Amino acid sequence: MAVDAVDSTSRTHDPVVTTPYGAVRGRYEDGVAVFRGIPYAAPPFGARRFRPPVPPEPWDGVRDAGEFGPTPPKPPYSEAFARLLADPVVPGDDCLNLNVWTPEPGPGARLPVMVWIHGGALTRGSSAVPVYDGQAFARGGVVLVSINYRLGVEGYGLFPDAPPNAGLRDQLAALEWVRESIARFGGDPDRVTVFGESAGAISIGALLASPRAQGLFRRAVLQSGPPEASERDKVRRMVRRMATRLKVPATARAFAAVDRALLLRTQADVARLGSPVLGGPAFGIVVDGDLVPRHPMEALLAGGAPDVELLLGWTSEEYRLWLAPGGLLERVDRLGPVALAGAMARCRCGHEVPRGYRAIHPGAGTADLVGQMVTDHLLRVPLHRLADARPPRTPAYVYEFAWPSHVPGLGACHALELGFVFDTVEVPQAAQLAGPGAPQELADAMHSAWVRFAVEGDPGWQAWDASHPVRIFGAGAPHTVLGPRDRELALWDAESGRPGAPLSSPESTPSPRPRRPRRVMAVRPSSRPPRPPRAGGGRSLP
């Protein structure tokens, strides 16, 4: 099977580490040992198509781990998004693989570990995106792991003859690999922090609430994605629409017989009209009674994962990534009242909510009002509720990324913070979204906060409490503001109490719970009285 032991301490030779399935040879890059493309599960094709992951076949000798492994099947981004978001493709079947950056490969180091779960709407992305390079984390004394997992219909199709949530099961298998193997790379399996953005954060929300993931990580970072589950009927409709176009039954067996390229083209065609702001068909995590036994938000508000420390946040203008590239900002502004009516339908709210946003932001255009409304409803309200529900012994910390991109129209959009978190703003692919001249000092501050959270459980600012402290990463030095979104979120508090105005689908957020009184502050306490206790909530990002 594998060699018994290989010396990995000398930097004059390529580092070699023995895993439970065989030895792997990485590379030293600027003093950091890097291992790419290590399989944590067998290729999910052939008889394993649409099935839960199984361990990889052991190998003899030493496997080269110098290059990124294959990426899961995925359709390309549209031309407008491809100009902003890098998404490399590495061909091959062995796509359930991961990468490790470590400053000290060897079992004696016991360094903190961070596991990155990428975003991409559960349909795109991979660990090979250059922005996700782990060098800076390793230089900061952290072992960085990034993973691939199945996407789209391969990972999140809902079929009568296959278990759901295959992609989420892949993530669980990767975390189990980390638990079993990371000490050999210098990591401490008892000090694991999972972090992810968008769909990666949504995945972490499900893992936080999953009994099967208990004990696999100690801390979690949710960037621009709340705990959620999709309606099963919504995911079934995606599969049925694909089946209709393919002229095959809506079963895993029938889909497994379809050419992969044709399957991806069909998936892209069916999903073309969907967007996080506008809604529409999409794949998502579903309640399955097994890995996801109940809605993740419901489970967490009921006391799930009580010992996991959380770092949560968003960008100031999430919606601009979804609306600006295709010219939708201008179209929404032109539509005016029609667009506002569509946002009300999307959020299932009455007229008081857009009126309130107009009063708070009197100079904003329709697109900005619609974008902020939907972002608050789908993202910020659930994350506020999650932070509110954490037990006092397990703090939560909240941030907002507010630096505007130098690319015209993008502002402080979704995913813009990634180059700053990874300290890779100089990478050309990061500049696609940020534009030239991104401030290195902001990357230094944000990256160091993430490292500090992984090492100490405290990113360096006040933990969440009734005053709602939010760390702002924007122009100038990072600073803490109390309750910066409270006026907008109070509109949803009031809306949740309006008769006949549900804020979520039956399978979405749970029934309202009393909340602690909230105060609105700038930097010092306000003299105005506390608002009534908060209840209700909203659906989250698709």
Side-chain angles (χ1 to χ4, degrees):
M1 180 181 165
V3 293
D4 292 331
V6 182
D7 178 17
S8 60
T9 60
S10 173
R11 280 163 169 74
T12 59
H13 302 287
D14 289 337
V16 178
V17 171
T18 302
T19 78
Y21 305 103
V24 291
R25 177 182 290 109
R27 304 287 188 273
Y28 278 112
E29 299 175 4
D30 297 326
V32 170
V34 185
F35 302 81
R36 297 181 175 92
I38 304 172
Y40 67 83
F45 299 107
R48 293 184 288 267
R49 193 94 175 267
F50 298 106
R51 311 306 301 179
V54 298
E57 288 292 327
W59 59 89
D60 295 321
V62 180
R63 179 181 181 128
D64 187 71
E67 304 292 336
F68 285 113
T71 51
K74 56 189 175 178
Y77 281 116
S78 68
E79 183 180 349
F81 283 94
R83 290 196 295 266
L84 301 171
L85 302 172
D87 197 12
V89 173
V90 181
D93 287 354
D94 209 355
C95 60
L96 298 185
N97 58 70
L98 52 77
N99 319 294
V100 180
W101 285 260
T102 176
E104 292 291 339
R110 307 292 288 186
L111 297 169
V113 179
M114 297 186 74
V115 179
W116 172 248
I117 302 178
H118 70 81
L122 300 177
T123 57
R124 295 176 175 88
S126 77
S127 64
V129 173
V131 177
Y132 306 153
D133 187 277
Q135 276 275 349
F137 281 105
R139 290 196 300 270
V142 170
V143 176
L144 191 284
V145 180
S146 61
I147 69 173
N148 286 338
Y149 57 94
R150 278 173 284 182
L151 303 168
V153 71
E154 300 273 1
Y156 297 92
L158 193 54
F159 300 100
D161 56 339
N165 297 322
L168 191 67
R169 295 172 193 274
D170 296 342
Q171 296 171 16
L172 179 68
L175 287 171
E176 291 171 341
W177 184 97
V178 168
R179 181 72 184 177
E180 184 178 12
S181 308
I182 204 62
R184 305 169 192 230
F185 293 83
D188 184 346
D190 293 322
R191 288 199 293 165
V192 173
T193 299
V194 290
F195 69 128
E197 185 266 347
S198 193
I202 291 169
S203 300
I204 290 171
L207 292 167
L208 275 167
S210 175
R212 292 181 55 187
Q214 288 185 7
L216 294 178
F217 50 88
R218 181 175 173 182
R219 300 182 177 111
V221 184
L222 281 70
Q223 301 173 211
S224 300
E228 71 168 30
S230 295
E231 300 172 32
R232 294 176 71 90
D233 284 346
K234 180 178 180 180
V235 179
R236 283 196 190 98
R237 285 197 297 272
M238 281 288 288
V239 172
R240 288 170 181 161
R241 291 177 185 181
M242 289 183 65
T244 298
R245 294 194 180 208
L246 293 167
K247 297 181 172 59
V248 300
T251 65
R253 181 178 180 181
F255 273 51
V258 176
D259 175 76
R260 277 191 227 169
L262 175 59
L263 200 63
L264 289 176
R265 288 196 301 271
T266 305
Q267 174 185 302
D269 288 342
V270 168
R272 196 176 303 279
L273 298 179
S275 105
V277 172
L278 304 177
F283 288 108
I285 296 164
V286 298
V287 174
D288 59 18
D290 173 25
L291 180 58
V292 188
R294 62 192 294 196
H295 191 283
M297 181 66 85
E298 179 183 336
L300 292 172
L301 293 187
D307 298 321
V308 179
E309 296 156 337
L310 299 183
L311 174 59
L312 316 167
W314 49 76
T315 71
S316 295
E317 299 170 293
E318 300 270 0
Y319 60 94
R320 285 185 168 266
L321 180 64
W322 304 313
L323 295 182
L328 285 176
L329 281 171
E330 295 79 7
R331 289 175 58 189
V332 171
D333 275 336
R334 288 197 302 268
L335 287 171
V338 175
L340 279 176
M344 290 167 56
R346 174 84 166 112
C347 299
R348 304 183 183 184
C349 68
H351 290 279
E352 289 305 313
V353 172
R355 286 174 187 158
Y357 275 80
R358 180 68 75 186
I360 295 169
H361 305 283
T366 300
D368 287 321
L369 288 178
V370 166
Q372 292 291 6
M373 272 181 57
V374 175
T375 299
D376 286 347
H377 175 65
L378 299 182
L379 176 58
R380 295 189 184 112
V381 167
L383 289 180
H384 266 243
R385 295 185 69 205
L386 180 58
D388 279 347
R390 302 308 292 165
R393 72 178 186 277
T394 312
Y397 300 86
V398 178
Y399 75 91
E400 177 170 320
F401 183 81
W403 181 80
S405 170
H406 289 161
V407 176
L410 289 184
C413 69
H414 189 70
L416 182 58
E417 87 282 8
L418 293 174
F420 296 84
V421 167
F422 279 85
D423 192 11
T424 53
V425 291
E426 81 289 348
V427 172
Q429 291 81 1
Q432 290 178 229
L433 198 60
Q440 180 60 49
E441 60 273 16
L442 182 57
D444 294 341
M446 200 165 192
H447 174 74
S448 64
W450 263 238
V451 170
R452 179 172 167 172
F453 180 71
V455 174
E456 304 175 14
D458 177 355
W461 63 88
Q462 179 183 349
W464 187 261
D465 59 21
S467 68
H468 296 168
V470 177
R471 191 70 161 178
I472 307 297
F473 292 93
H479 58 284
T480 301
V481 176
L482 303 182
R485 299 282 175 177
D486 279 8
R487 288 191 297 168
E488 292 91 339
L489 297 178
L491 298 170
W492 298 105
D493 292 348
E495 178 66 19
S496 67
R498 183 173 64 86
L503 293 185
S504 58
S505 65
E507 289 192 24
S508 185
T509 49
S511 58
R513 291 171 26 141
R515 288 279 172 253
R516 292 174 290 191
R518 44 193 318 152
R519 296 181 288 168
V520 178
M521 305 183 190
V523 177
R524 57 184 181 274
S526 169
S527 60
R528 66 180 75 173
R531 286 194 169 91
R534 176 173 146 212
R539 295 172 59 199
S540 47
L541 290 171

